[in-house]
């Protein structure tokens, strides 16, 4: 990728997206050991599901969308406390291969889940 910034006149016109903003983005679901890195563009509550939706720009024109979870939400809340918002930060999200279990209140069986790691670009 070139480090030279193009002039405004050399760039293509971009049509404004609809209000949801993520209709053309690729939905991803990471497997254990996989990660995604990019600028957190948007963190939006889902009306259908209990987890937030994260819009992540991996590069110019490469936007992906994924569901958050409680582990990620706690980390993003902490970053928001420090920076005013986690949106705009370059972050890495990794679904590790480490598995933990817990038994929900009132349940008879344990539930397994992968540990997630969130990293922030330093600087």
């Amino acid at each position: 990728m070139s480090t030279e910034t193009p002039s405004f006149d050399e760039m293509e016109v971009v049509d404004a997206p609809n209000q949801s903003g993520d209709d053309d983005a690729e939905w991803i679901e990471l497997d254990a050991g996989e990660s995604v890195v990019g600028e957190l563009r948007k963190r939006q509550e889902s009306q259908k599901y209990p987890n937030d939706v994260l819009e992540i720009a991996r590069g110019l024109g490469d936007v992906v969308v994924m569901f958050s979870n409680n582990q990620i939400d706690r980390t993003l809340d902490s970053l928001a406390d420090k920076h005013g918002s986690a949106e705009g930060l370059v972050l890495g999200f990794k679904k590790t291969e480490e598995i933990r279990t817990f038994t929900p209140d009132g349940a008879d069986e344990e539930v397994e889940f992968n540990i997630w790691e969130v990293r922030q670009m330093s600087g």
Side-chain angles (χ1 to χ4, degrees):
M1 186 171 140
S2 174
T3 57
E4 186 174 333
T5 304
S7 75
F8 182 82
D9 293 332
E10 294 173 323
M11 300 175 79
E12 293 181 32
V13 175
V14 179
D15 294 324
N18 63 21
Q19 289 291 63
S20 66
D22 56 35
D23 286 346
D24 293 331
E26 173 191 357
W27 276 89
I28 61 171
E29 186 173 332
L30 300 178
D31 291 326
E34 293 183 326
S35 62
V36 62
V37 174
E39 178 188 349
L40 179 63
R41 291 276 177 93
K42 187 189 307 183
R43 177 183 178 193
Q44 180 175 325
E45 284 187 40
S46 171
Q47 300 301 317
K48 271 181 148 175
Y49 303 101
N51 298 102
D52 289 350
V53 175
L54 305 179
E55 186 175 297
I56 303 164
R58 297 188 292 193
L60 192 59
D62 182 14
V63 178
V64 295
V65 181
M66 66 182 249
F67 281 112
S68 187
N69 60 42
N70 290 335
Q71 297 171 64
I72 293 172
D73 286 343
R74 284 191 303 272
T75 304
L76 294 179
D77 289 343
S78 175
L79 287 169
D81 288 345
K82 292 177 187 173
H83 300 281
S85 174
E87 293 176 353
L89 298 176
V90 176
L91 303 171
F93 302 90
K94 182 175 184 176
K95 183 176 186 178
T96 72
E97 295 182 13
E98 182 181 347
I99 295 176
R100 295 215 181 128
T101 61
F102 78 101
T103 305
D105 291 338
D108 295 330
E109 295 186 28
E110 285 186 331
V111 175
E112 286 189 353
F113 64 96
N114 290 79
I115 299 296
W116 282 79
E117 187 175 335
V118 179
R119 294 187 180 187
Q120 177 185 2
M121 190 164 139
S122 62

